[in-house]
Amino acid sequence: MDQRCAPDASGTGPTGTGAVPAVSVIVIVYNDEHRLPTAVRSVLDQTLRSVEVVIVDDRSTDGSYPAAQRLAAAHPDRVRVFRLPENSGGCGAPRNHGIRQARGDYVLFLDSDDVLERNACRNMLEAAENTGADLVSGLCVRVHVDSRSRKEVKWYPWLYERTRTLESVSELPDLLVFDTLSTNKCYRRRFLLEKGLEFPVGIHYEDLLFSAQAYVAARRITLIPNRVYDWRIVDGPRTTGTRSISNRRDEIANFAHRMEIHRRVDRLLAQHDLPELKFAKDVKWLKHDLVLHLRELPSRDDAYRREFAEIARAYLGSIDRAAFDETEPIQAICAYLLHRSDWDNLLPAVDTLINRDKISSPLVERAGRVYWCARHIEDDPFGRHVLDVTDLGHHAKPVERMFLRNALTRYEEHAGTVRLAGRVTNPLGVIPADARLSAELEFYARRAGVRFQTFRFPVAEVRHEGEAVAWEATAALSKRLRPIGVVDVVWDVRLHLDVNGVRTTTRLTATGTGPPAGGLPVRPRLTRLIADRMEPEISARGHLSYRLVPGKKADELVRRGMRGRFARRAKSGYRKARARRRDLASGRSKLRLYHKVFSRLPHRKGLVVFESHLGRQYSDSPKAIYEEMRRQGLRFEAVWAYAGSPEGFPADATLVRRWSIPYLKALAQAEFWVDNQSYPLKLTKRPGTTYLQTWHGSALKRMGFDEPGWKVRSRAAQAAQQRTLDRFDRFLIRSEHDVRTLARAFRLPERTLLRVGYPRNDALVRARRRAEASGGRREQVLLAAELGIPADKEVLLYAPTFRQRGGKRKRFELPFDVERFADAFGDRYVLLVRSHYLNHVVLPPSVRGRVIDVTDHHDVTPLLVLADGLITDYSSVMFDYSLLDRPMFFFTYDYDEYVHESRGTYFDLLERAPGPVVRTEDELYAVLGSLEDQRVRYAAPRERFAADFGEFDRGNAAQSVVDQFFAHWRRT
């Protein structure tokens, strides 16, 4: 027995009689008398009976120790209690004492405010015995116990998707990096004693070091997918009135302890020659550990910042610079600027770290690249690399799509009126110096469900001021703002800035170390007993907001009232109303509304619902059919579905948001559905509706039931998929290849097939005929002038297929060096880049005028007409472009993976491609040397390709569809 713990550590309960338990669960407690019994009960109720409880009290000052003694008295054969002579201030000392007192072959750790899953000990013991592991780890779940829904969040669940045994933690670096808990693990006690493993004492974050030591020392580690530990999170105030160690990030000692633990772990990894683990840990430290503390900096004073920077700089010097490339750009930028103690640029960067996508810096362009700031890029190559934010694409955004930093520079209150001033960041001069500027302030309740009205005040002055736009305003809040009270306690502020008629919206960022002092009198509609003033405060994201505050006497009356029967009924009614509202807006309710209500309404004759690419575009064959119907002057009611913004959709049609109530009602009552992909799969088409499926391209890759993934699905899943395909009344076909592939893959009966070609391709057929009639002279296309393409430049279009995997930042990254392309061919070609509509691409400013991103253009057909040559890979655009009889180039850099490891293809592109197929960037540049040479060399293959895959594209598909289905609507 540890003599340091005498006399209280002598232990309550049996001292060694009876059978040796298989597992000892060490429960540590400090001032937690109310939750301790629940934790202990979760051990006593284990399905494995051979379990003892070792309670170690860290010299609590409440009733925790007597509570522990009562538990031991009630279960003398299974519970023992020890008490440290003085409080240790952490978890290390009581856990170490528990290890020494434990009698079981295996040891688990449990905090007094958490619980073990009922089968935890059994599952972990069996895994250890079956595999011989020194350490078994299972799934931890964070349970938000005071939330109404008891929200549960699994702790790094990808580590525990299946059972696996590691001979070394090096096999799975993420285990050491991410799961640093000691409490979701079972340790062989002999392993702990032989290796001398103990928790550090007198320092926080002891789990990080102990877990790292255990991982590195273990001869075998087993992971099991079973839930073993419930980490019970209390979102509201704790009963003890104290915050957990991890939540005391405003204390500089907290950060110092974290850094010391990391240094010790680094030394451990170095001693065991584990550089790959050190690198993975560096990445996680930049992305997580440092970020947690950086978020606190804007509200801290200069003394805290200086001490923080001094501690952080010492550690940042040990970080592998390659780790910066594995983080988000803003995380790397903040870490670099902190290392350089550049507070002027760091604090705005932290604002972006807290508020994703906010542009907090004016930015700077140098040599065709965009940087976070001008400082450091000239004298430090590494700084120039880290501060390069070109790939974020800020330079390509219009001002209305920017979320700009709006730093509050003045706050004054007088007689119920607040005077505000601020500076809005102007990145890369996106707000021109001669722009017409106006602005207004808006105050609104944060809770959306009670946002019945907003209050707006004009901004008296808006002016350009260097790299920012400055503004000043006065708002008579006490006179005009009338909150309801209780339900709209918090109010936020935003500024709407109008730039040449275009609006951008910003939030007011507080730049001081605390909220402005003051309070404005208000008159809530539910009387001043609810509140009598609004006080400014700073939100979690650093923005100015206001909170309704009652007087002291009124506050007590309100508190009593809120605990009363009437208040409970009112709150219950409000919650039920909100729940009903959520239910009405849910997908389940919308489906019920569609099938039970809207589908019983009469059909509306002449109503046609159009949709293209799931509502993302006004394009393709639905657009061609719609415009042909308008050209012929038919009498019909047109509805176009859109997803996202309605911009670019026709003004002479009714526009409805996809999945909205008007959308569902229109589909239920429509006489015709016209789309090129699929209306929502769970919507049953009514018998009186005709579904014209135009589809969106011929197939190279296998589709539908020809896909390997679909062949192995259950019969029920295949039947459900078939029901959605059976909704098609007509399916447009452009060649017999479509019959052999798409029609067969979708199991479509012959009667549904409409061999008329694609209406979208009518424009391509007509363009080729015009070119042949004019002797091959290039058309003067209006789109070329809109894009700023010189008349003496030839146009290449790069249009790849959809890529499931984006790059590091979840976007499609061009498979060739676009700057190299511009330098090599910029005097001859203009390259248009059209990524798949589900992907997006970012081009650097250095290629302006030579490479143009046209992904946002709804319809690809005008781009095909404009292009003198096409570069693609496996996209179905190849079949359409062949109708123009122009050069095509196939850049198949991932051919083997795409063909053999993906879905597979219907034919070998290498054998039938109507143009050169290349694998590397150098090969691509070689064949791009002359479009004329390629035009002549591949003339015969292009002709065969067009005949094989576009035999029904004769230039009259739209007219044919209209004549067959809508001719009776012609005006007489």
Side-chain angles (χ1 to χ4, degrees):
M1 186 177 298
D2 188 351
Q3 296 303 312
R4 292 175 301 168
C5 295
D8 290 321
S10 58
T12 301
T15 59
T17 60
V20 175
V23 176
S24 295
V25 179
I26 299 167
V27 182
I28 63 171
V29 61
Y30 176 70
N31 287 357
D32 201 15
E33 61 178 302
H34 299 294
R35 288 181 291 194
L36 175 64
T38 302
V40 172
R41 174 53 58 189
S42 75
V43 182
L44 298 176
D45 288 345
Q46 289 289 299
T47 53
L48 178 71
R49 300 301 299 169
S50 183
V51 178
E52 72 162 350
V53 183
V54 179
I55 303 175
V56 182
D57 176 63
D58 197 11
R59 205 69 185 188
S60 297
T61 59
D62 68 349
S64 296
Y65 184 54
Q69 290 178 311
R70 288 193 294 272
L71 289 166
H75 306 278
D77 296 329
R78 302 189 65 191
V79 179
R80 294 185 293 142
V81 179
F82 301 87
R83 191 183 196 195
L84 300 187
E86 60 184 22
N87 177 250
S88 68
C91 301
R95 284 177 181 163
N96 291 339
H97 188 73
I99 294 172
R100 290 189 288 271
Q101 298 300 331
R103 298 177 305 174
D105 293 329
Y106 295 90
V107 171
L108 278 74
F109 301 106
L110 175 64
D111 291 345
S112 60
D113 52 349
D114 299 329
V115 296
L116 289 180
E117 193 276 335
R118 190 164 181 265
N119 298 292
C121 291
R122 178 181 297 280
N123 289 331
M124 299 178 92
L125 176 65
E126 287 180 355
E129 293 290 282
N130 291 336
T131 65
D134 289 328
L135 187 160
V136 176
S137 189
L139 180 64
C140 171
V141 179
R142 290 167 60 97
V143 182
H144 295 257
V145 294
D146 59 350
S147 67
R148 293 191 184 97
S149 61
R150 286 182 64 90
K151 182 178 71 173
E152 297 187 351
V153 180
K154 295 179 180 178
W155 185 255
Y156 301 113
W158 77 84
L159 296 171
Y160 299 99
E161 291 177 345
R162 59 184 175 84
T163 299
R164 50 181 163 177
T165 298
L166 311 174
E167 299 300 323
S168 168
V169 71
S170 296
E171 297 175 26
L172 186 62
D174 279 357
L175 184 61
L176 179 141
V177 170
F178 291 100
D179 189 359
T180 57
L181 300 177
S182 64
T183 49
N184 61 330
K185 297 171 178 61
C186 175
Y187 309 86
R188 195 179 296 270
R189 188 166 67 95
R190 187 176 61 191
F191 158 69
L192 295 179
L193 298 176
E194 289 177 353
K195 297 297 182 180
L197 295 183
E198 288 192 342
F199 290 87
V201 178
I203 188 169
H204 300 320
Y205 301 103
E206 55 276 295
D207 268 23
L208 273 70
L209 181 57
F210 181 83
S211 295
Q213 291 171 331
Y215 283 139
V216 171
R219 288 159 295 191
R220 185 170 295 158
I221 302 169
T222 295
L223 308 182
I224 60 175
N226 309 80
R227 179 174 182 164
V228 298
Y229 194 88
D230 281 9
W231 181 357
R232 294 157 68 89
I233 306 297
V234 179
D235 297 313
R238 290 178 176 268
T239 56
T240 61
T242 61
R243 294 175 297 163
S244 66
I245 292 169
S246 59
N247 284 329
R248 298 203 295 265
R249 290 187 290 272
D250 56 336
E251 300 175 6
I252 196 65
N254 185 290
F255 183 60
H257 283 207
R258 185 189 285 267
M259 290 302 92
E260 175 58 26
I261 288 292
H262 275 284
R263 280 189 287 269
R264 295 185 191 184
V265 173
D266 290 347
R267 287 196 295 269
L268 170 74
L269 299 179
Q271 290 167 4
H272 288 80
D273 192 25
L274 296 169
E276 70 283 358
L277 294 182
K278 169 65 163 63
F279 180 80
K281 183 179 153 303
D282 284 350
V283 173
K284 195 250 188 177
W285 186 85
L286 289 171
K287 297 177 68 171
H288 175 73
D289 299 75
L290 181 60
V291 167
L292 288 177
H293 292 271
L294 283 172
R295 294 168 67 96
E296 302 291 325
L297 285 185
S299 59
R300 304 274 78 86
D301 59 25
D302 289 340
Y304 178 96
R305 293 172 185 170
R306 283 194 301 270
E307 193 170 354
F308 175 85
E310 184 177 348
I311 296 171
R313 275 201 308 271
Y315 190 76
L316 277 165
S318 70
I319 296 290
D320 189 329
R321 287 189 167 186
F324 282 72
D325 290 334
E326 301 301 318
T327 68
E328 292 295 318
I330 193 61
Q331 295 168 346
I333 288 169
C334 287
Y336 175 80
L337 294 174
L338 176 63
H339 193 235
R340 297 296 298 261
S341 294
D342 184 354
W343 296 102
D344 290 341
N345 288 303
L346 172 59
L347 291 176
V350 172
D351 192 7
T352 294
L353 187 69
I354 298 171
N355 297 278
R356 186 177 179 86
D357 298 326
K358 181 186 281 190
I359 306 176
S360 300
S361 169
L363 308 180
V364 62
E365 183 179 334
R366 295 284 190 274
R369 306 294 294 180
V370 177
Y371 298 93
W372 183 260
C373 58
R375 198 180 300 174
H376 315 299
I377 64 176
E378 301 296 340
D379 62 342
D380 184 2
F382 180 63
R384 184 164 58 252
H385 172 71
V386 171
L387 296 171
D388 189 332
V389 293
T390 307
D391 291 347
L392 296 182
H394 294 320
H395 58 279
K397 294 179 181 177
V399 67
E400 64 270 21
R401 289 174 54 191
M402 288 183 168
F403 178 22
L404 301 176
R405 174 177 166 90
N406 185 353
L408 192 64
T409 58
R410 188 177 74 184
Y411 184 94
E412 298 175 358
E413 292 179 7
H414 179 70
T417 296
V418 61
R419 292 182 176 84
L420 302 165
R423 284 170 55 86
V424 179
T425 301
N426 185 14
L428 300 173
V430 69
I431 304 174
D434 59 351
R436 301 186 312 276
L437 302 177
S438 62
E440 65 178 0
L441 282 174
E442 182 180 78
F443 294 77
Y444 58 97
R446 179 175 296 174
R447 184 178 290 179
V450 296
R451 198 177 298 162
F452 302 117
Q453 58 182 326
T454 59
F455 301 89
R456 295 177 179 177
F457 302 87
V459 173
E461 183 178 357
V462 188
R463 63 184 183 277
H464 282 277
E465 199 172 89
E467 295 179 325
V469 170
W471 59 271
E472 298 178 15
T474 300
L477 293 183
S478 295
K479 285 185 178 180
R480 288 193 52 198
L481 197 148
R482 293 293 308 279
I484 298 172
V486 180
V487 295
D488 55 352
V489 172
V490 181
W491 286 70
D492 291 315
V493 193
R494 56 189 171 196
L495 181 131
H496 300 296
L497 178 63
D498 189 285
V499 181
N500 288 332
V502 175
R503 168 175 284 192
T504 185
T505 299
T506 67
R507 296 290 304 276
L508 277 57
T509 299
T511 56
T513 57
L520 300 162
V522 292
R523 291 181 299 125
R525 299 180 188 274
L526 295 180
T527 86
R528 287 187 176 175
L529 287 177
I530 299 298
D532 61 2
R533 67 190 188 280
M534 294 181 69
E535 292 185 355
E537 66 177 21
I538 306 303
S539 72
R541 294 187 176 274
H543 299 135
L544 176 67
S545 60
Y546 289 87
R547 181 176 295 274
L548 293 179
V549 179
K552 291 184 179 180
K553 292 183 178 180
D555 186 33
E556 181 57 29
L557 289 174
V558 171
R559 288 179 183 274
R560 291 178 184 175
M562 294 300 286
R563 291 192 294 265
R565 184 170 55 184
F566 174 77
R568 287 197 298 270
R569 288 179 179 175
K571 286 188 286 186
S572 175
Y574 174 71
R575 285 195 292 268
K576 290 178 180 179
R578 287 190 64 189
R580 283 195 295 269
R581 182 176 177 179
R582 285 195 300 268
D583 182 64
L584 288 174
S586 68
R588 182 180 62 255
S589 294
K590 288 181 177 180
L591 285 173
R592 189 165 58 245
L593 187 64
Y594 174 86
H595 289 108
K596 301 296 185 182
V597 179
F598 292 157
S599 292
R600 296 178 179 178
L601 297 175
H603 280 92
R604 283 155 53 183
K605 293 296 183 182
L607 173 59
V608 186
V609 179
F610 297 88
E611 186 173 293
S612 177
H613 292 303
L614 307 178
R616 291 182 174 89
Q617 297 177 353
Y618 172 59
S619 66
D620 215 81
S621 293
K623 172 187 174 182
I625 293 172
Y626 171 74
E627 293 185 347
E628 177 64 19
M629 294 171 71
R630 289 297 191 203
R631 188 189 67 79
Q632 293 191 22
L634 304 186
R635 289 182 293 185
F636 69 105
E637 181 183 355
V639 171
W640 265 95
Y642 69 90
S645 170
E647 183 178 354
F649 285 81
D652 56 355
T654 300
L655 307 183
V656 295
R657 185 182 296 276
R658 201 170 194 266
W659 264 114
S660 65
I661 300 299
Y663 171 81
L664 297 175
K665 185 178 180 183
L667 284 176
Q669 294 190 275
E671 190 173 349
F672 285 91
W673 292 359
V674 181
D675 95 313
N676 66 350
Q677 198 157 340
S678 177
Y679 287 106
L681 302 180
K682 294 183 180 180
L683 298 185
T684 302
K685 181 180 68 70
R686 297 175 67 184
T689 300
T690 300
Y691 191 164
L692 298 183
Q693 175 54 259
T694 70
W695 204 238
H696 52 276
S698 297
L700 168 63
K701 57 181 176 287
R702 294 189 179 274
M703 303 289 291
F705 291 102
D706 288 343
E707 292 181 47
W710 271 106
K711 292 180 179 179
V712 298
R713 294 197 181 187
S714 66
R715 290 184 179 179
Q718 292 193 27
Q721 176 69 1
Q722 189 62 58
R723 284 193 295 272
T724 68
L725 297 170
D726 288 344
R727 297 181 302 174
F728 303 159
D729 294 297
R730 291 291 187 272
F731 188 89
L732 270 58
I733 296 294
R734 62 189 303 255
S735 70
E736 289 302 319
H737 169 77
D738 290 354
V739 177
R740 296 188 298 271
T741 56
L742 292 173
R744 186 189 67 184
F746 295 157
R747 299 175 181 174
L748 301 176
E750 174 65 29
R751 68 178 182 275
T752 67
L753 307 184
L754 201 60
R755 293 173 170 81
V756 296
Y758 282 170
R760 72 182 187 193
N761 288 341
D762 292 347
L764 303 180
V765 175
R766 291 194 294 266
R768 177 177 177 177
R769 289 171 182 168
R770 289 194 299 270
E772 292 171 345
S774 64
R777 290 194 303 273
R778 175 178 170 179
E779 291 184 70
Q780 295 299 314
V781 181
L782 180 62
L783 180 58
E786 293 177 0
L787 295 174
I789 300 175
D792 62 338
K793 296 284 185 68
E794 291 184 292
V795 179
L796 293 177
L797 173 65
Y798 178 53
T801 193
F802 170 65
R803 286 293 194 268
Q804 184 67 44
R805 299 182 304 277
K808 180 175 66 178
R809 299 184 182 105
K810 307 302 182 185
R811 66 166 184 278
F812 173 66
E813 295 184 353
L814 291 172
F816 58 88
D817 186 339
V818 69
E819 292 179 295
R820 178 187 172 193
F821 179 95
D823 292 341
F825 298 106
D827 59 341
R828 193 186 326 171
Y829 303 135
V830 170
L831 178 67
L832 306 181
V833 177
R834 165 85 174 195
S835 64
H836 191 276
Y837 67 90
L838 293 177
N839 297 133
H840 74 280
V841 70
V842 173
L843 300 175
S846 57
V847 300
R848 280 195 195 102
R850 298 178 294 174
V851 184
I852 304 172
D853 181 13
V854 292
T855 303
D856 286 342
H857 285 249
H858 278 233
D859 200 352
V860 72
T861 301
L863 299 171
L864 297 177
V865 173
L866 175 62
D868 297 296
L870 173 71
I871 305 171
T872 188
D873 44 17
Y874 322 100
S875 172
S876 64
V877 74
M878 70 175 76
F879 302 110
D880 305 314
Y881 194 76
S882 68
L883 298 174
L884 290 165
D885 191 29
R886 297 176 188 171
M888 286 191 277
F889 307 88
F890 297 85
F891 186 25
T892 59
Y893 56 92
D894 56 353
Y895 183 83
D896 293 332
E897 177 186 355
Y898 190 88
V899 172
H900 302 300
E901 299 179 20
S902 185
R903 299 184 191 175
T905 59
Y906 285 115
F907 62 87
D908 189 345
L909 182 64
L910 300 179
E911 294 180 359
R912 302 183 69 174
V917 181
V918 297
R919 302 287 187 93
T920 68
E921 186 172 347
D922 289 339
E923 291 175 348
L924 175 64
Y925 291 169
V927 298
L928 289 176
S930 171
L931 295 186
E932 186 57 37
D933 290 348
Q934 300 298 334
R935 185 178 288 112
V936 173
R937 181 178 178 183
Y938 286 91
R942 282 199 309 275
E943 185 176 357
R944 288 195 300 271
F945 198 81
D948 290 344
F949 299 105
E951 59 188 297
F952 303 131
D953 282 320
R954 304 185 183 94
N956 63 344
Q959 182 178 346
S960 177
V961 170
V962 173
D963 288 346
Q964 290 188 55
F965 296 97
F966 308 111
H968 58 288
W969 293 343
R970 289 195 178 97
R971 300 177 187 275
T972 56

